[in-house]
Amino acid sequence: MNRKRKLQQLLKSLVQPLTAVLIGLLTGAVAISLVGASVLETYKVMWDGAFGNFYFVTATFARATPIILIGLGLAIAFRAGVFNMGAEGQMVLGAVSAALAALYVPGSGIIKILAALAAGFLAGGLWSLLAGWMETRFKVQLLISTLLLNYVAVLFAGYLVSHPFQDKSGSAALAQTPMIDQVAWLPKLFPGMSVHMGFVIAIVLAIILFIILRFTSAGYEVRMLGYNPFFAEYGGINKIKVLLYSMFFSGGIAGLAGTVEVLGSQYRYVEGSLTVPGYAWTGLMAALLANSNPLGTAVASILLAALQTGAMGMERNTEVPLEIASVIQGVLILFVTAKITMNWWKVKKKGRDIHGAA
Amino acid sequence: MTYVLEMKEMTKKYGEFLANDKISIHLKKGEVLAIVGENGAGKTTLMRMLYGLEQPTSGEIILNGRNVKFSGPLDAIENGIGMVHQHFMLFSDFTVTENIVIGHEPKRNGFFNRKAAAEKVKELSDQYKINVNPLKKAGDCSIGEQQRIEILKVLYQGADIIILDEPTAVLTPLEVEELLKTIEFLALQGKSIILITHKLPEVMKVADQITVLRNGRVTGNVLKQHTDVEQLATLMVGRELQKLTQRVQLDGEPLLVVDNLTIGGKEEKPILDDLSLTVHRGEIVGIAGVSGNGQSELILAITGLRKIDNGSIRLGETILDGTSVANRRSAGLAHIPEDRYLWGAAKEATVEETGLMGYYRKKTFNQSSFIRLNGFRELLKGWIDRFEIKTPSLDEKSGNLSGGNLQKLIVARELGFETDFLIAAEPTRGVDIGAMEYIHEAIIEKRNNGDGVLLVSSELTEILTLSDRIAVMYEGKIVDILNRKEATEEKLSVLMAGGN
């Protein structure tokens, strides 16, 4: 009986994201037929491009790695009821800090890697904490401060790699750090494939976060704060502390996303390499699609990465342009965020009402 | 004898659920019919069918000898049926006049004729002796005034049958008196009134005829002169009410000591004004007052949810002021909040999660920061049995529970802490009589155990039934403290209004 109910609830929670995906695919189908291609064939090519053979699967996983981490970071913030829109800046600061740590911390490879991971996590975490602190101290809305801090972070990282820490070894003066020593690279999971240790880190982190959120008192406090901050406060939860911790870990994990990209895939920080592919926004979408469930976020991230790698395959093999993937993603965002914004709005409104009454 | 309204064998099914099972009522011109019953007895469904908001599964409505069917409220209004809802539907930025005439504005050359509207409202207000200020904004009116606007609106629309849905739930005692007079006067002027309520003393004051509902069926139809409160309660609950447990005489030492508590007051009037109060062990202190006189702030200040500007709060030997909510709770304070949806629970959280608040910190249920859910579930199931909390499962969203059941869950949770001191704010708001008895019983038991209780309630009967001492709050101060023996509803009403 109880198991049946649980199953029902699970199915119910899947209805919304699946509907969004379905509508996204249908809209994509309309767009594909508008450019005059066969819908089924195009989707088949896309599928092959994402999961067609082992190589493509690993390429999809490699692309999913930063998206999963970003999504997990955001999921923590969303669970605590705050809208962290600053994943991009947190990721970039994490990436550049990790690159510099790997370059300049002396020691063996493992020490460099640990230092880089710590630096990336701290940089992203502290950057996010700054926004959290401004909210609790000066009531600067997180939604806005995190969004604006993105510009500061991205431009600052750009400055670092085009002036003090620029790679001057090559002939062309690109905005990038020197390449980090090979001993500090995260190992590839399979020789010749692009997926690296970062993917394992992301999956393990997803499982750990799932357990923490679900079974520990810290996770309970985060969830209750997100559900109803007044209830949390009434029950003796320290709102400010939980909010700041959530923001710190949220940004820290976003910083890790940048870190593993640097250590596992690019081996240096290159300006624009993390912002142009839109990892942060895809991660945001994954977290929203999965309603901030960490395991669901990982799955959604892989699906969205597949959409992107699949679209690349599609562009290689058909006349259909890459942008179809953006159309599908765009529709996904629309349908997923509709619900989220409504809920968020309701909570805000409730908050206003009580302040008005007091 | 002819009736202005008859409803015959009204039945309403929602799927398998029978909300109304062959309910019949009848109403004469100038008569006040009270429909009483607990929450979920079917009162509201019946009235929604009469007002055209629901279509009956079967049954007929006979209005002035004609068989009628209403497709919606507009239809009902056209036919002279008006309803004053429990939650008012006013535009707060509009004036009283505008709110009353809305939808049927007097016009001149196609434009809204404000002057004629104001005159018309004045006329109605004089005719039915219902006092309003036609030019005031509805948002600035007190709850009582807002209700009068709603009644005038219904009269303006030409209603001969007026349905009042739980009209006294939100009013102060003085406003209740006034409303009851208005109802009597309206009946005298030939209007027929249907009063939906569960407050029996009021029924006994104004009703001519009383129909009692329980579980969707009529359990009694009586004339006022042939019945009394006890009989009505028995018909409502289906059994006789128990007498409350005897209270043991206890002379406990001071437990909660509040001294010179002040909130606000630098530029404007303080919300709490140098307030001092003591609750002893083995004592229930009731706080009576018209809502908005600082009761809510007092509770929030004691529980640590609101900052204070001056004063001290002590619980036993522990100083509470300036400490966190968690500290106060572990010092021995439990708190049934006045607003269960705002403070007491999270709608999105499951029943289990709502129940777990506070307990997850206890050693019994927390093993190196992992929550021991299995152990907690046993406790939770115990509450569910004892308080007869109706929920499909422990995983049900708290927001899906009925208000009364959620209240019972919150009460069970807070009593379950077994603290020395309990703040009970509106502990029985929205629960049915059976549950109310149980909660009252539990609170008295707690007192008899030598614990202290601070009770805040807008129900004077609740305050009078439970309290050992009654403190009356007015404008942020305690204006008087009465003993259980000397307190009467009349005395309290006067004090609550700021008199002596």
Short mmCIF file of all heavy atoms in Angstrom, two decimals, chain A residues 2 5-6 9 211 214-218 220-221 223-224 227-228 230-237 350 354 357-358, chain B residues 305 325-326 329 335 337 341-346 348-349 353 356-357 360-361 366 369-371 393 395-396 413-414:
data_model
loop_
_atom_site.label_atom_id
_atom_site.label_comp_id
_atom_site.label_asym_id
_atom_site.label_seq_id
_atom_site.Cartn_x
_atom_site.Cartn_y
_atom_site.Cartn_z
N ASN A 2 1.78 1.27 0.99
CA ASN A 2 2.64 2.43 1.13
C ASN A 2 3.57 2.55 -0.08
O ASN A 2 3.78 3.63 -0.61
CB ASN A 2 3.46 2.29 2.41
CG ASN A 2 3.89 3.64 2.93
OD1 ASN A 2 3.57 4.65 2.32
ND2 ASN A 2 4.64 3.65 4.01
N ARG A 5 1.77 3.96 -3.00
CA ARG A 5 1.62 5.41 -2.90
C ARG A 5 2.89 6.13 -3.29
O ARG A 5 2.89 7.13 -3.96
CB ARG A 5 1.26 5.81 -1.47
CG ARG A 5 -0.20 5.78 -1.17
CD ARG A 5 -0.47 6.51 0.13
NE ARG A 5 -0.26 7.95 -0.01
CZ ARG A 5 -1.18 8.78 -0.50
NH1 ARG A 5 -2.33 8.32 -0.87
NH2 ARG A 5 -0.92 10.07 -0.59
N LYS A 6 4.02 5.55 -2.80
CA LYS A 6 5.31 6.19 -3.09
C LYS A 6 5.55 6.22 -4.59
O LYS A 6 6.03 7.20 -5.14
CB LYS A 6 6.43 5.43 -2.38
CG LYS A 6 6.56 5.84 -0.92
CD LYS A 6 7.98 5.67 -0.42
CE LYS A 6 8.15 6.35 0.93
NZ LYS A 6 8.48 5.45 1.98
N GLN A 9 3.52 8.81 -6.17
CA GLN A 9 4.07 10.15 -5.95
C GLN A 9 5.24 10.40 -6.87
O GLN A 9 5.39 11.48 -7.43
CB GLN A 9 4.50 10.31 -4.49
CG GLN A 9 3.37 10.82 -3.63
CD GLN A 9 3.77 10.96 -2.19
OE1 GLN A 9 4.83 10.51 -1.78
NE2 GLN A 9 2.92 11.57 -1.41
N ILE A 211 21.84 11.98 -0.20
CA ILE A 211 21.77 11.39 1.14
C ILE A 211 21.69 12.50 2.20
O ILE A 211 20.88 12.44 3.13
CB ILE A 211 22.98 10.47 1.39
CG1 ILE A 211 22.86 9.25 0.48
CG2 ILE A 211 23.07 10.06 2.85
CD1 ILE A 211 24.07 8.37 0.47
N ARG A 214 18.32 14.21 2.23
CA ARG A 214 17.20 13.36 2.58
C ARG A 214 17.25 12.84 4.00
O ARG A 214 16.24 12.71 4.67
CB ARG A 214 17.21 12.19 1.60
CG ARG A 214 16.11 11.24 1.81
CD ARG A 214 15.23 11.26 0.61
NE ARG A 214 14.05 10.47 0.87
CZ ARG A 214 13.36 9.89 -0.07
NH1 ARG A 214 13.73 10.01 -1.31
NH2 ARG A 214 12.29 9.20 0.23
N PHE A 215 18.44 12.51 4.47
CA PHE A 215 18.51 11.75 5.71
C PHE A 215 19.18 12.46 6.88
O PHE A 215 19.23 11.92 7.97
CB PHE A 215 19.24 10.42 5.47
CG PHE A 215 18.54 9.53 4.49
CD1 PHE A 215 19.08 9.28 3.24
CD2 PHE A 215 17.33 8.94 4.82
CE1 PHE A 215 18.44 8.47 2.33
CE2 PHE A 215 16.68 8.12 3.92
CZ PHE A 215 17.22 7.89 2.68
N THR A 216 19.72 13.63 6.69
CA THR A 216 20.43 14.26 7.81
C THR A 216 19.67 15.48 8.33
O THR A 216 18.80 16.01 7.64
CB THR A 216 21.84 14.73 7.40
OG1 THR A 216 21.69 15.83 6.50
CG2 THR A 216 22.61 13.62 6.72
N SER A 217 20.04 15.91 9.52
CA SER A 217 19.35 17.06 10.09
C SER A 217 19.69 18.33 9.31
O SER A 217 18.84 19.20 9.14
CB SER A 217 19.68 17.22 11.57
OG SER A 217 21.01 16.92 11.83
N ALA A 218 20.93 18.41 8.80
CA ALA A 218 21.28 19.59 8.00
C ALA A 218 20.39 19.67 6.77
O ALA A 218 19.87 20.73 6.42
CB ALA A 218 22.75 19.55 7.59
N TYR A 220 17.44 18.37 6.41
CA TYR A 220 16.08 18.70 6.85
C TYR A 220 15.93 20.21 7.04
O TYR A 220 14.96 20.82 6.60
CB TYR A 220 15.79 17.96 8.16
CG TYR A 220 14.43 18.28 8.75
CD1 TYR A 220 13.28 17.70 8.25
CD2 TYR A 220 14.31 19.16 9.83
CE1 TYR A 220 12.04 17.99 8.79
CE2 TYR A 220 13.09 19.46 10.37
CZ TYR A 220 11.95 18.86 9.86
OH TYR A 220 10.73 19.16 10.38
N GLU A 221 16.95 20.81 7.67
CA GLU A 221 16.87 22.26 7.91
C GLU A 221 16.85 23.03 6.59
O GLU A 221 16.08 23.98 6.43
CB GLU A 221 18.06 22.71 8.77
CG GLU A 221 18.01 22.13 10.18
CD GLU A 221 18.95 22.82 11.15
OE1 GLU A 221 19.89 23.49 10.69
OE2 GLU A 221 18.74 22.68 12.37
N ARG A 223 15.75 21.95 3.68
CA ARG A 223 14.48 21.75 3.00
C ARG A 223 13.36 22.56 3.66
O ARG A 223 12.54 23.19 2.98
CB ARG A 223 14.10 20.27 3.00
CG ARG A 223 14.82 19.50 1.89
CD ARG A 223 14.36 18.06 1.87
NE ARG A 223 14.77 17.38 3.08
CZ ARG A 223 14.00 16.58 3.79
NH1 ARG A 223 12.78 16.34 3.40
NH2 ARG A 223 14.45 16.01 4.89
N MET A 224 13.32 22.55 4.99
CA MET A 224 12.24 23.28 5.67
C MET A 224 12.38 24.78 5.43
O MET A 224 11.38 25.48 5.26
CB MET A 224 12.25 22.99 7.17
CG MET A 224 11.86 21.57 7.52
SD MET A 224 10.29 21.06 6.77
CE MET A 224 10.84 19.69 5.80
N TYR A 227 10.90 25.32 2.11
CA TYR A 227 9.45 25.16 2.06
C TYR A 227 8.75 26.36 2.67
O TYR A 227 7.80 26.90 2.12
CB TYR A 227 9.01 23.92 2.83
CG TYR A 227 9.24 22.62 2.12
CD1 TYR A 227 9.50 21.45 2.83
CD2 TYR A 227 9.18 22.52 0.74
CE1 TYR A 227 9.70 20.24 2.20
CE2 TYR A 227 9.38 21.32 0.10
CZ TYR A 227 9.63 20.18 0.83
OH TYR A 227 9.82 19.00 0.21
N ASN A 228 9.17 26.74 3.85
CA ASN A 228 8.51 27.84 4.55
C ASN A 228 9.46 28.43 5.60
O ASN A 228 9.63 27.85 6.67
CB ASN A 228 7.22 27.32 5.21
CG ASN A 228 6.50 28.41 5.99
OD1 ASN A 228 6.98 29.53 6.10
ND2 ASN A 228 5.35 28.07 6.54
N PHE A 230 9.23 30.79 7.61
CA PHE A 230 8.63 31.14 8.92
C PHE A 230 8.54 29.89 9.79
O PHE A 230 8.81 29.93 10.99
CB PHE A 230 7.26 31.76 8.72
CG PHE A 230 7.31 33.04 7.96
CD1 PHE A 230 7.06 33.07 6.60
CD2 PHE A 230 7.67 34.22 8.59
CE1 PHE A 230 7.13 34.25 5.88
CE2 PHE A 230 7.74 35.40 7.89
CZ PHE A 230 7.47 35.41 6.54
N PHE A 231 8.13 28.80 9.17
CA PHE A 231 8.04 27.53 9.89
C PHE A 231 9.43 27.13 10.40
O PHE A 231 9.59 26.71 11.55
CB PHE A 231 7.48 26.46 8.96
CG PHE A 231 7.42 25.08 9.54
CD1 PHE A 231 6.85 24.86 10.79
CD2 PHE A 231 7.93 24.00 8.84
CE1 PHE A 231 6.79 23.58 11.31
CE2 PHE A 231 7.87 22.72 9.36
CZ PHE A 231 7.30 22.51 10.59
N ALA A 232 10.44 27.30 9.55
CA ALA A 232 11.80 26.94 9.94
C ALA A 232 12.23 27.74 11.16
O ALA A 232 12.75 27.20 12.15
CB ALA A 232 12.75 27.18 8.76
N GLU A 233 11.99 29.04 11.10
CA GLU A 233 12.40 29.91 12.20
C GLU A 233 11.65 29.55 13.48
O GLU A 233 12.24 29.46 14.56
CB GLU A 233 12.10 31.36 11.80
CG GLU A 233 12.77 32.37 12.67
CD GLU A 233 12.40 33.79 12.27
OE1 GLU A 233 11.52 33.96 11.40
OE2 GLU A 233 12.99 34.71 12.85
N TYR A 234 10.37 29.32 13.33
CA TYR A 234 9.52 28.95 14.47
C TYR A 234 10.04 27.68 15.15
O TYR A 234 10.03 27.56 16.36
CB TYR A 234 8.09 28.76 13.95
CG TYR A 234 7.21 27.81 14.74
CD1 TYR A 234 6.45 28.27 15.80
CD2 TYR A 234 7.15 26.46 14.40
CE1 TYR A 234 5.64 27.40 16.50
CE2 TYR A 234 6.35 25.59 15.09
CZ TYR A 234 5.59 26.06 16.14
OH TYR A 234 4.80 25.19 16.84
N GLY A 235 10.51 26.74 14.33
CA GLY A 235 10.99 25.48 14.89
C GLY A 235 12.40 25.54 15.42
O GLY A 235 12.94 24.53 15.85
N GLY A 236 13.02 26.72 15.39
CA GLY A 236 14.35 26.85 15.98
C GLY A 236 15.49 26.67 15.01
O GLY A 236 16.63 26.47 15.41
N ILE A 237 15.20 26.73 13.71
CA ILE A 237 16.28 26.66 12.73
C ILE A 237 16.87 28.06 12.56
O ILE A 237 16.13 29.03 12.43
CB ILE A 237 15.73 26.14 11.38
CG1 ILE A 237 15.31 24.68 11.54
CG2 ILE A 237 16.78 26.28 10.28
CD1 ILE A 237 14.60 24.10 10.34
N LYS A 350 3.56 35.54 0.38
CA LYS A 350 3.24 35.18 1.75
C LYS A 350 4.11 35.97 2.71
O LYS A 350 3.64 36.51 3.70
CB LYS A 350 3.50 33.68 1.91
CG LYS A 350 2.84 33.07 3.09
CD LYS A 350 2.63 31.60 2.82
CE LYS A 350 3.32 30.76 3.83
NZ LYS A 350 3.29 29.36 3.51
N ILE A 354 2.93 38.80 5.77
CA ILE A 354 3.20 38.78 7.21
C ILE A 354 3.91 40.06 7.62
O ILE A 354 3.59 40.65 8.64
CB ILE A 354 4.01 37.53 7.64
CG1 ILE A 354 4.42 37.63 9.11
CG2 ILE A 354 5.26 37.35 6.84
CD1 ILE A 354 3.31 37.46 10.05
N ALA A 357 1.46 42.66 8.03
CA ALA A 357 0.60 42.53 9.20
C ALA A 357 1.33 42.93 10.47
O ALA A 357 0.73 43.40 11.42
CB ALA A 357 0.10 41.09 9.31
N ALA A 358 2.64 42.72 10.50
CA ALA A 358 3.37 42.92 11.77
C ALA A 358 3.61 44.39 12.07
O ALA A 358 3.31 45.25 11.30
CB ALA A 358 4.72 42.21 11.70
N LEU B 305 10.78 35.07 18.21
CA LEU B 305 10.58 35.30 16.78
C LEU B 305 10.51 36.78 16.46
O LEU B 305 10.36 37.17 15.31
CB LEU B 305 9.31 34.59 16.32
CG LEU B 305 9.42 33.07 16.37
CD1 LEU B 305 8.06 32.41 16.31
CD2 LEU B 305 10.29 32.57 15.23
N VAL B 325 15.77 31.04 19.11
CA VAL B 325 14.54 30.25 19.23
C VAL B 325 14.88 28.84 19.72
O VAL B 325 14.22 28.30 20.61
CB VAL B 325 13.81 30.18 17.88
CG1 VAL B 325 12.57 29.31 18.00
CG2 VAL B 325 13.44 31.56 17.39
N ALA B 326 15.94 28.27 19.14
CA ALA B 326 16.32 26.90 19.52
C ALA B 326 16.66 26.84 21.00
O ALA B 326 16.26 25.90 21.70
CB ALA B 326 17.50 26.44 18.67
N ARG B 329 13.53 26.92 23.05
CA ARG B 329 12.82 25.66 23.00
C ARG B 329 13.50 24.62 23.88
O ARG B 329 12.83 23.89 24.60
CB ARG B 329 12.72 25.17 21.56
CG ARG B 329 11.62 25.89 20.80
CD ARG B 329 11.38 25.26 19.44
NE ARG B 329 10.16 25.77 18.82
CZ ARG B 329 8.98 25.17 18.91
NH1 ARG B 329 8.86 24.04 19.57
NH2 ARG B 329 7.92 25.71 18.33
N HIS B 335 5.21 25.69 21.71
CA HIS B 335 4.45 26.83 21.18
C HIS B 335 3.47 26.35 20.11
O HIS B 335 3.89 25.90 19.05
CB HIS B 335 5.47 27.83 20.61
CG HIS B 335 4.87 28.97 19.83
ND1 HIS B 335 5.60 29.71 18.94
CD2 HIS B 335 3.62 29.49 19.81
CE1 HIS B 335 4.83 30.64 18.40
NE2 HIS B 335 3.63 30.52 18.91
N PRO B 337 1.27 27.77 17.51
CA PRO B 337 1.21 29.12 16.94
C PRO B 337 -0.20 29.50 16.51
O PRO B 337 -1.03 28.62 16.26
CB PRO B 337 2.12 29.02 15.71
CG PRO B 337 1.99 27.60 15.29
CD PRO B 337 1.74 26.78 16.52
N TYR B 341 -0.66 27.83 9.18
CA TYR B 341 -0.03 27.74 7.87
C TYR B 341 1.22 28.60 7.77
O TYR B 341 2.13 28.28 7.05
CB TYR B 341 -1.01 28.12 6.76
CG TYR B 341 -2.12 27.12 6.63
CD1 TYR B 341 -3.42 27.42 7.02
CD2 TYR B 341 -1.84 25.84 6.15
CE1 TYR B 341 -4.42 26.49 6.91
CE2 TYR B 341 -2.85 24.90 6.05
CZ TYR B 341 -4.13 25.22 6.43
OH TYR B 341 -5.12 24.29 6.34
N LEU B 342 1.23 29.70 8.50
CA LEU B 342 2.39 30.57 8.43
C LEU B 342 3.53 30.02 9.28
O LEU B 342 4.63 29.80 8.80
CB LEU B 342 2.02 31.98 8.90
CG LEU B 342 3.17 32.96 8.73
CD1 LEU B 342 3.42 33.21 7.27
CD2 LEU B 342 2.87 34.27 9.44
N TRP B 343 3.26 29.78 10.55
CA TRP B 343 4.32 29.37 11.47
C TRP B 343 4.36 27.87 11.73
O TRP B 343 5.42 27.30 11.91
CB TRP B 343 4.14 30.06 12.83
CG TRP B 343 4.18 31.55 12.79
CD1 TRP B 343 3.13 32.40 12.89
CD2 TRP B 343 5.35 32.38 12.65
NE1 TRP B 343 3.55 33.70 12.82
CE2 TRP B 343 4.90 33.72 12.69
CE3 TRP B 343 6.71 32.12 12.52
CZ2 TRP B 343 5.78 34.79 12.57
CZ3 TRP B 343 7.58 33.19 12.42
CH2 TRP B 343 7.11 34.51 12.44
N GLY B 344 3.19 27.26 11.76
CA GLY B 344 3.11 25.92 12.35
C GLY B 344 3.49 24.78 11.45
O GLY B 344 3.73 23.67 11.93
N ALA B 345 3.54 25.00 10.15
CA ALA B 345 3.77 23.88 9.24
C ALA B 345 4.25 24.43 7.91
O ALA B 345 4.24 25.62 7.68
CB ALA B 345 2.48 23.09 9.02
N ALA B 346 4.72 23.54 7.06
CA ALA B 346 5.01 23.90 5.68
C ALA B 346 4.08 23.08 4.81
O ALA B 346 4.05 21.86 4.91
CB ALA B 346 6.47 23.61 5.34
N GLU B 348 4.13 22.32 1.76
CA GLU B 348 4.80 21.41 0.83
C GLU B 348 5.43 20.21 1.55
O GLU B 348 5.73 19.21 0.93
CB GLU B 348 5.91 22.15 0.09
CG GLU B 348 5.42 23.16 -0.91
CD GLU B 348 4.75 22.49 -2.09
OE1 GLU B 348 5.40 21.64 -2.72
OE2 GLU B 348 3.58 22.78 -2.35
N ALA B 349 5.68 20.37 2.84
CA ALA B 349 6.34 19.30 3.58
C ALA B 349 5.33 18.18 3.87
O ALA B 349 4.14 18.42 3.95
CB ALA B 349 6.90 19.85 4.89
N GLU B 353 7.39 15.29 7.94
CA GLU B 353 8.35 16.38 8.08
C GLU B 353 7.81 17.49 8.97
O GLU B 353 8.56 18.08 9.76
CB GLU B 353 8.69 16.94 6.69
CG GLU B 353 9.55 16.01 5.87
CD GLU B 353 9.67 16.43 4.42
OE1 GLU B 353 8.74 17.06 3.89
OE2 GLU B 353 10.68 16.11 3.80
N LEU B 356 8.18 16.39 12.44
CA LEU B 356 9.57 16.19 12.87
C LEU B 356 10.23 17.46 13.41
O LEU B 356 11.25 17.38 14.10
CB LEU B 356 10.36 15.67 11.64
CG LEU B 356 11.78 15.17 11.82
CD1 LEU B 356 11.82 14.01 12.80
CD2 LEU B 356 12.35 14.72 10.48
N MET B 357 9.64 18.61 13.11
CA MET B 357 10.26 19.87 13.51
C MET B 357 10.58 19.89 15.01
O MET B 357 9.71 19.66 15.84
CB MET B 357 9.35 21.03 13.14
CG MET B 357 9.93 22.41 13.42
SD MET B 357 11.54 22.69 12.68
CE MET B 357 11.11 23.16 11.02
N TYR B 360 14.00 16.41 15.40
CA TYR B 360 15.21 15.94 14.71
C TYR B 360 16.47 16.34 15.47
O TYR B 360 17.53 15.78 15.26
CB TYR B 360 15.25 16.48 13.27
CG TYR B 360 15.55 17.96 13.18
CD1 TYR B 360 16.84 18.41 12.99
CD2 TYR B 360 14.54 18.90 13.33
CE1 TYR B 360 17.12 19.76 12.94
CE2 TYR B 360 14.81 20.24 13.27
CZ TYR B 360 16.11 20.68 13.08
OH TYR B 360 16.38 22.01 13.05
N ARG B 361 16.34 17.34 16.36
CA ARG B 361 17.51 17.74 17.14
C ARG B 361 17.70 16.87 18.38
O ARG B 361 18.74 16.89 19.00
CB ARG B 361 17.36 19.20 17.59
CG ARG B 361 17.59 20.21 16.49
CD ARG B 361 17.77 21.60 17.09
NE ARG B 361 16.57 22.07 17.75
CZ ARG B 361 15.67 22.87 17.17
NH1 ARG B 361 15.86 23.28 15.95
NH2 ARG B 361 14.60 23.26 17.82
N ASN B 366 18.36 11.39 16.61
CA ASN B 366 19.45 11.94 15.84
C ASN B 366 20.74 11.20 16.18
O ASN B 366 21.26 11.32 17.27
CB ASN B 366 19.58 13.44 16.16
CG ASN B 366 20.48 14.14 15.18
OD1 ASN B 366 21.49 13.58 14.73
ND2 ASN B 366 20.15 15.36 14.84
N SER B 369 23.98 13.17 13.50
CA SER B 369 23.32 14.05 12.52
C SER B 369 22.53 13.30 11.43
O SER B 369 21.96 13.93 10.55
CB SER B 369 24.30 15.08 11.93
OG SER B 369 24.72 14.72 10.67
N PHE B 370 22.45 11.99 11.48
CA PHE B 370 21.48 11.28 10.64
C PHE B 370 20.18 11.12 11.43
O PHE B 370 20.19 10.74 12.61
CB PHE B 370 22.01 9.90 10.23
CG PHE B 370 22.86 9.96 9.00
CD1 PHE B 370 24.21 10.29 9.10
CD2 PHE B 370 22.33 9.72 7.76
CE1 PHE B 370 25.00 10.38 7.97
CE2 PHE B 370 23.11 9.80 6.61
CZ PHE B 370 24.46 10.13 6.72
N ILE B 371 19.06 11.44 10.79
CA ILE B 371 17.78 11.39 11.51
C ILE B 371 17.28 9.95 11.56
O ILE B 371 17.27 9.25 10.55
CB ILE B 371 16.74 12.28 10.80
CG1 ILE B 371 17.22 13.73 10.80
CG2 ILE B 371 15.40 12.18 11.49
CD1 ILE B 371 16.37 14.65 9.96
N SER B 393 -1.59 9.02 4.60
CA SER B 393 -0.32 8.37 4.92
C SER B 393 0.59 9.41 5.56
O SER B 393 0.27 10.59 5.60
CB SER B 393 0.34 7.81 3.67
OG SER B 393 0.98 8.86 2.97
N ASP B 395 3.26 10.30 4.28
CA ASP B 395 3.92 11.03 3.20
C ASP B 395 3.01 12.06 2.56
O ASP B 395 3.38 12.70 1.60
CB ASP B 395 4.36 10.05 2.10
CG ASP B 395 5.42 9.11 2.64
OD1 ASP B 395 6.23 9.56 3.44
OD2 ASP B 395 5.41 7.93 2.26
N GLU B 396 1.78 12.19 3.08
CA GLU B 396 0.86 13.16 2.51
C GLU B 396 1.40 14.57 2.74
O GLU B 396 2.00 14.85 3.78
CB GLU B 396 -0.51 13.01 3.19
CG GLU B 396 -1.62 13.83 2.58
CD GLU B 396 -1.98 13.37 1.16
OE1 GLU B 396 -1.76 12.19 0.84
OE2 GLU B 396 -2.47 14.21 0.39
N ARG B 413 2.34 17.65 18.26
CA ARG B 413 3.79 17.85 18.21
C ARG B 413 4.25 18.70 19.39
O ARG B 413 5.21 18.35 20.09
CB ARG B 413 4.16 18.54 16.90
CG ARG B 413 5.63 18.82 16.74
CD ARG B 413 5.90 19.62 15.48
NE ARG B 413 5.41 20.99 15.61
CZ ARG B 413 5.05 21.75 14.59
NH1 ARG B 413 5.10 21.30 13.36
NH2 ARG B 413 4.61 22.97 14.79
N GLU B 414 3.56 19.79 19.64
CA GLU B 414 4.02 20.70 20.69
C GLU B 414 3.80 20.11 22.09
O GLU B 414 4.63 20.28 22.97
CB GLU B 414 3.35 22.06 20.55
CG GLU B 414 3.70 22.77 19.25
CD GLU B 414 5.21 22.97 19.05
OE1 GLU B 414 5.87 23.40 20.01
OE2 GLU B 414 5.72 22.68 17.95
#
